[in-house]
């Protein structure tokens, strides 16, 4: 009964925040953004209230679940004016209770203070960053579609740093390691807030902040070993990213993505994982620049070739990153195989695209089996198909050889075949999805293009679903390719 009444009190607390916000919205001249962030910051304190009065995780899960539904209804019907946002496509008010639900599920019984770190970083960090950015952020910059200010970014970092220090000092005694861990969490949270689009930072920032905090404080005697790995991974991936930027293989946001990807993979799988990622990056970057002038038309019409931004970096390497982390925590060899296939599939798709464009003959669409323009999603050519197979084989043979030579696990040649074919299937799946569900638009001349906007105006959708772009197709095809390993092994 105490947990039940605690749950009711937590509901009352949230509704009090919303009622105050509605009153401010109706009877004062306070800006909508201030009001929305007042709710954002206020509701984040639900965690502090609830952890003092609710012990049973089941009761703690109910309020976030209910508010997922209520917030979605409010998003559709504009019930809570104080949470209304100009960006109609942003589901941030729905994502926030989703994060609460996930963090409660993971950390309520495991370590409630670690869960508090994530949700309060999102509440105070993101909330204060927006307010300070609007008030004092004269110098702004863009990362993708996100407009940010330097003062807002600094505020996000400081709020994240302070929140982390406060709660980590409860979990462990205050000291140098607490400060250092808090610094790392603040850096990661700030980067995630910068780069995550469409309000999804309401999920990425709190969840990854808490998971990172738990991971770092769980190191115990291995603390300095992993700190060294983090520093080495950061410096090495940063150096490669900088060189790639100078060679115009990555944009600024792409460099940030490469640093996050490279550092995490090096920490979780060491030189093995990092070297596979580097092999993919070097080979794909080389082919992106190979006969670049012959690819000019494709680059203007389609979201392929040229400089990679952060979304393209994670579209190609994000699935592998997940398997790298899963292997780190489980030590199950199957995740290493899936990691290899993830990058084999990414490499196959890149080689298929970059070399297929150079085929003298036009590719054939898998949608209607007619010849179409080079670079068209869902089209295949002989040169592109063979190149995709070779791209998958390069990563597969390297991964197989490394395992065979430097581990106690011995396999026959069948494993190499499975890794290669699974990776190659990724580019086939990519073409099938590109031909069927990817969003394709019409440019001003009536030609098909993958680029959604022209001068910030949305082009007419020719076929597919508008929310499915090339990055979505890449992630999906790579993920499905890795699942073949589970079937074949």
């Amino acid at each position: 009964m105490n947990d039940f009444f605690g749950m009711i009190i937590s509901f009352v607390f949230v509704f009090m925040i919303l009622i105050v916000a509605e009153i401010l919205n109706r009877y004062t001249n306070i800006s909508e953004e201030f009001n929305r962030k007042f709710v954002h910051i206020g509701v984040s304190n639900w965690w502090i209230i609830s952890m003092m009065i609710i012990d049973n995780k089941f009761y703690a899960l109910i309020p976030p679940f209910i508010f997922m539904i209520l917030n979605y209804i409010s998003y559709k019907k504009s019930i809570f004016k104080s949470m209304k946002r100009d960006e109609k496509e942003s589901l941030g008010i729905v994502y926030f209770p989703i994060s609460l639900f996930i963090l409660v599920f993971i950390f309520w019984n495991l370590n409630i203070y670690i869960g508090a770190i994530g949700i309060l970083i999102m509440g105070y960090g993101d909330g204060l960053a927006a307010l300070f950015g609007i008030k004092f952020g004269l110098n702004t910059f863009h990362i993708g579609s996100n407009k940010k200010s330097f003062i807002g970014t600094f505020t996000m970092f400081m709020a994240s740093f302070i929140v982390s220090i406060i709660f980590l000092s409860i979990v462990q005694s205050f000291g140098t390691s607490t400060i250092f861990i808090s610094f790392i969490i603040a850096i990661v949270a700030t980067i995630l807030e910068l780069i995550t689009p469409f309000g999804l930072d309401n999920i990425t920032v709190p969840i990854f902040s808490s998971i990172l905090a738990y991971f770092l404080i769980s190191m115990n005697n291995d603390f300095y070993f992993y700190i060294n790995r983090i520093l080495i991974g950061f410096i090495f991936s940063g150096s490669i990213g900088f060189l790639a930027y100078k060679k115009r293989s990555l944009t600024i946001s792409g460099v940030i993505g490469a640093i996050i990807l490279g550092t995490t993979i090096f920490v979780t799988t060491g030189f093995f994982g990092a070297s596979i990622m580097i092999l993919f990056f070097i080979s794909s970057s080389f082919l992106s620049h190979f006969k670049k002038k012959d690819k000019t038309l494709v680059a203007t019409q389609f979201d392929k070739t040229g400089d990679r931004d952060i979304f393209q970096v994670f579209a190609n390497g994000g699935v592998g990153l997940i398997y790298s982390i899963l292997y780190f925590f489980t030590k199950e060899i199957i995740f290493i195989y899936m990691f290899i296939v993830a990058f084999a599939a990414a490499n196959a798709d890149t080689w298929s695209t970059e070399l297929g464009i150079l085929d003298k003959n036009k590719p054939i669409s898998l949608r209607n089996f007619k010849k179409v323009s080079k670079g068209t999603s869902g089209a295949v050519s002989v040169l592109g198909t063979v190149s995709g197979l070779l791209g998958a084989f390069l990563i597969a043979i390297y991964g197989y050889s490394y395992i065979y030579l430097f581990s106690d696990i011995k396999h026959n040649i069948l494993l190499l075949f499975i890794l290669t074919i699974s990776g190659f299937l990724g580019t086939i799946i990519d073409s099938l999805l590109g031909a069927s569900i990817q969003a394709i638009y019409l440019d001003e001349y009536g030609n098909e293009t993958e680029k959604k906007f022209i001068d910030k105006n949305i082009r007419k959708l020719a076929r597919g679903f508008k929310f499915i772009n090339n990055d979505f197709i890449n992630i999906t095809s790579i993920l499905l390719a890795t699942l073949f390993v589970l079937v074949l092994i």
Side-chain angles (χ1 to χ4, degrees), residues 58-83:
F58 172 77
Y59 287 98
L61 286 169
I62 293 175
F65 179 77
I66 296 297
F67 276 102
M68 285 185 217
I69 300 170
L70 292 179
N71 286 10
Y72 183 76
I73 295 172
S74 177
Y75 163 79
K76 286 292 187 180
K77 305 295 183 181
S78 296
I79 297 173
F80 299 117
K81 304 294 183 183
S82 56
M83 294 194 296

Side-chain angles (χ1 to χ4, degrees), residues 295-311:
K295 305 172 184 175
T296 303
L297 177 61
V298 174
T300 58
Q301 291 295 107
F302 301 96
D303 282 341
K304 297 176 181 178
T305 77
D307 303 6
R308 288 180 170 84
D309 60 21
I310 191 167
F311 304 112

Side-chain angles (χ1 to χ4, degrees), residues 114-139:
I114 297 299
I117 289 174
I119 210 65
L120 290 170
I121 280 178
M122 190 62 214
Y124 282 90
D126 180 70
L128 293 176
L131 296 178
F132 276 78
I134 292 171
K135 185 69 176 178
F136 305 108
L138 299 178
N139 298 317

Side-chain angles (χ1 to χ4, degrees), residues 348-473:
D349 180 58
T350 302
W351 281 38
S352 178
T353 298
E354 299 292 352
L355 294 178
I357 293 169
L358 303 176
D359 197 315
K360 293 181 179 180
N361 300 313
K362 286 187 174 182
I364 297 174
S365 173
L366 295 179
R367 188 167 61 93
N368 51 26
F369 300 101
K370 294 181 179 180
K371 290 187 176 182
V372 292
S373 300
K374 294 180 180 180
T376 300
S377 287
V380 296
S381 66
V382 174
L383 180 58
T385 302
V386 173
S387 299
L389 180 60
L390 292 175
F393 178 73
L394 175 67
I395 300 297
I397 187 65
Y398 176 82
Y400 174 84
S401 300
Y402 195 103
I403 293 172
Y404 190 85
L405 294 173
F406 299 107
S407 75
D408 296 329
I409 303 170
K410 304 299 180 183
H411 293 284
N412 57 39
I413 202 68
L414 178 61
L415 176 64
L416 175 60
F417 175 79
I418 292 173
L419 296 176
T420 302
I421 293 301
S422 297
F424 175 66
L425 285 172
T427 194
I428 302 299
I429 296 170
D430 185 281
S431 296
L432 290 171
L433 295 178
S436 56
I437 63 175
Q438 182 174 350
I440 301 296
Y441 303 88
L442 295 177
D443 65 13
E444 54 271 33
Y445 304 107
N447 299 315
E448 289 190 350
T449 176
E450 294 175 357
K451 295 186 176 180
K452 183 177 182 179
F453 296 97
I454 176 171
D455 297 328
K456 297 184 178 181
N457 295 316
I458 299 178
R459 287 183 163 122
K460 182 180 179 181
L461 183 69
R463 57 185 171 86
F465 300 93
K466 65 180 181 179
F467 61 90
I468 298 180
N469 60 10
N470 187 252
D471 292 338
F472 182 92
I473 295 294

Side-chain angles (χ1 to χ4, degrees), residues 147-294:
K147 182 180 179 181
K148 301 295 180 180
S149 68
F150 289 103
I151 187 66
T153 301
F154 178 73
T155 303
M156 175 68 188
F157 170 79
M158 288 305 301
S160 302
F161 184 62
I162 293 169
V163 167
S164 298
I165 283 183
I166 291 172
F167 285 94
L168 285 178
S169 296
I170 299 173
V171 175
Q172 60 182 28
S173 60
F174 177 79
T176 305
S177 65
T178 300
I179 295 173
F180 194 83
I181 291 172
S182 298
F183 180 81
I184 294 175
I185 294 170
I187 288 288
V188 172
T190 302
I191 291 174
L192 288 171
E193 198 273 337
L194 281 174
I195 66 176
T196 310
F198 314 127
L200 285 167
D201 56 332
N202 286 280
I203 289 180
T204 59
V205 171
I207 292 176
F208 280 101
S209 295
S210 287
I211 290 175
L212 179 61
Y214 183 77
F215 166 73
L216 291 174
I217 67 170
S218 298
M219 289 178 178
N220 296 323
N221 296 331
D222 295 327
F223 178 79
Y224 291 105
F225 170 79
Y226 285 109
I227 289 301
N228 287 333
R229 274 203 169 187
I230 290 171
L231 292 176
I232 293 171
F234 180 84
I235 293 171
F236 196 66
S237 58
S239 300
I240 293 176
F242 176 75
L243 292 175
Y245 173 73
K246 298 298 287 186
K247 292 291 184 180
R248 301 193 65 182
S249 294
L250 293 175
T251 64
I252 288 292
S253 70
V255 173
I256 295 173
I259 291 173
I260 297 172
L261 193 72
T263 302
T264 308
I265 286 177
F266 182 70
V267 169
T268 51
T269 53
F271 178 78
F272 165 75
S275 59
I276 284 183
M277 186 192 72
I278 292 170
L279 179 61
F280 158 70
F281 178 73
I282 291 176
S283 68
S284 60
S285 296
F286 172 77
L287 291 182
S288 293
H289 289 278
F290 180 66
K291 293 190 175 183
K292 193 170 184 177
K293 291 183 179 179
D294 297 337

